[in-house]
Amino acid sequence: MNLPKLAVSLLTKRNMSSSDLQAFARNSKKILGAALNYMDVVRERNAPLPKTPVVFLKPSTSLIEEGKDIVIPKVFTKVAHEVELGVVISKHCKNVSAADAFSYVGGYCLALDMTAQCDLGEARKNGLPWSMGKGFDTSTPVSRLIRAEELGDPHNLPLWLKVNGKMIQEGNTSDLIFNVADLISYCSKYMTLEPNDIILTGTPKNALPIKDGDVIEAGIGNLINMKFKCKNEM
């Protein structure tokens, strides 16, 4: 049966929007991260409050799931952990309002935004892109998909991270400067968000360097936790 191009396009988008997102980490095309999005970080740095979200891109090749290791690249001397709430997009999303944003959320995940602070410091100072310091292989470990009804209120979630059993990062998503709806709406003004795309919402304070042999464990309260080993690139 021959269908008009518009009909085919609409059917494709409908099928994608209802697709199974359980394999989002393997099917994601892009990851957008929000920087400087926790009030405790702004206060700690005595930084001005951002007027709009500060957003960067990470490639899908940075994604890993439990069972794989975080690999510290040879080219970096200082790689740090950042625990975050991730938002998984369910359908094509362009120029949406904050009021409509949650209809594009297919679920959530716990995520780490591993960051080469040695590279990022120089990039910030010189006004250069963050791509290398944020987008290296294994820099985005994620959990399984968390359904919206399982998660509850995304703006009142306790995040925590331990290194070798010691609590390092603790925060709550109630401290977000730009919330989930704000971030989806803002990002969709500039680029189309697609099914399985991920938005990282930012990290609380105490993002500290890791080293070869460290074990990172992170969680959202008692709802979910994940664990990753860190090792140097061979």
Side-chain angles (χ1 to χ4, degrees):
M1 181 174 65
N2 293 322
L3 292 173
K5 288 184 179 180
L6 177 60
V8 172
S9 176
L10 290 173
L11 282 171
T12 300
K13 288 188 177 184
R14 188 179 301 124
N15 289 338
M16 290 184 72
S17 69
S18 61
S19 64
D20 185 1
L21 295 172
Q22 296 296 329
F24 73 95
R26 293 184 289 279
N27 295 326
S28 178
K29 291 183 179 179
K30 58 183 173 293
I31 307 149
L32 294 93
L36 202 65
N37 199 34
Y38 270 77
M39 281 302 303
D40 64 351
V41 175
V42 170
R43 287 191 293 264
E44 183 180 56
R45 297 181 184 177
N46 196 26
L49 201 65
K51 294 180 180 178
T52 58
V54 178
V55 178
F56 56 88
L57 276 170
K58 303 186 74 167
S60 59
T61 49
S62 68
L63 286 161
I64 58 169
E65 299 173 278
E66 277 193 283
K68 294 188 176 180
D69 295 336
I70 296 168
V71 179
I72 305 167
K74 295 176 182 177
V75 292
F76 296 137
T77 58
K78 189 178 181 183
V79 172
H81 55 68
E82 297 185 4
V83 62
E84 315 209 2
L85 174 68
V87 182
V88 181
I89 299 299
S90 65
K91 56 186 177 181
H92 285 76
C93 174
K94 178 65 177 175
N95 285 325
V96 304
S97 68
D100 293 333
F102 279 104
S103 66
Y104 295 86
V105 175
Y108 299 86
C109 67
L110 177 63
L112 301 179
D113 175 22
M114 304 303 295
T115 300
Q117 293 180 339
C118 54
D119 182 87
L120 210 64
E122 287 298 309
R124 284 173 174 156
K125 184 170 65 177
N126 295 301
L128 299 174
W130 298 6
S131 303
M132 301 307 173
K134 285 286 192 180
F136 57 91
D137 291 351
T138 76
S139 66
T140 316
V142 293
S143 71
R144 64 167 176 84
L145 183 75
I146 307 168
R147 292 175 292 107
E149 54 270 30
E150 181 185 5
L151 186 85
D153 182 1
H155 302 130
N156 188 23
L157 299 172
L159 300 179
W160 57 268
L161 181 145
K162 297 178 181 179
V163 177
N164 303 328
K166 181 180 179 181
M167 188 71 74
I168 304 293
Q169 280 191 281
E170 289 184 278
N172 194 291
T173 56
S174 61
D175 206 28
L176 287 172
I177 297 169
F178 299 102
N179 65 28
V180 169
D182 295 331
L183 292 173
I184 293 172
S185 177
Y186 181 80
C187 292
S188 76
K189 292 176 182 177
Y190 295 89
M191 64 186 74
T192 300
L193 304 179
E194 300 176 281
N196 300 296
D197 283 351
I198 305 163
I199 297 178
L200 304 180
T201 57
T203 194
K205 66 181 182 180
N206 288 343
L208 300 179
I210 49 97
K211 65 183 186 303
D212 181 56
D214 282 348
V215 176
I216 297 175
E217 185 177 6
I220 301 175
N222 295 318
L223 174 64
I224 192 170
N225 68 293
M226 61 184 189
K227 186 180 290 187
F228 291 88
K229 295 180 181 178
C230 305
K231 67 179 184 181
N232 288 336
E233 183 181 17
M234 299 299 292

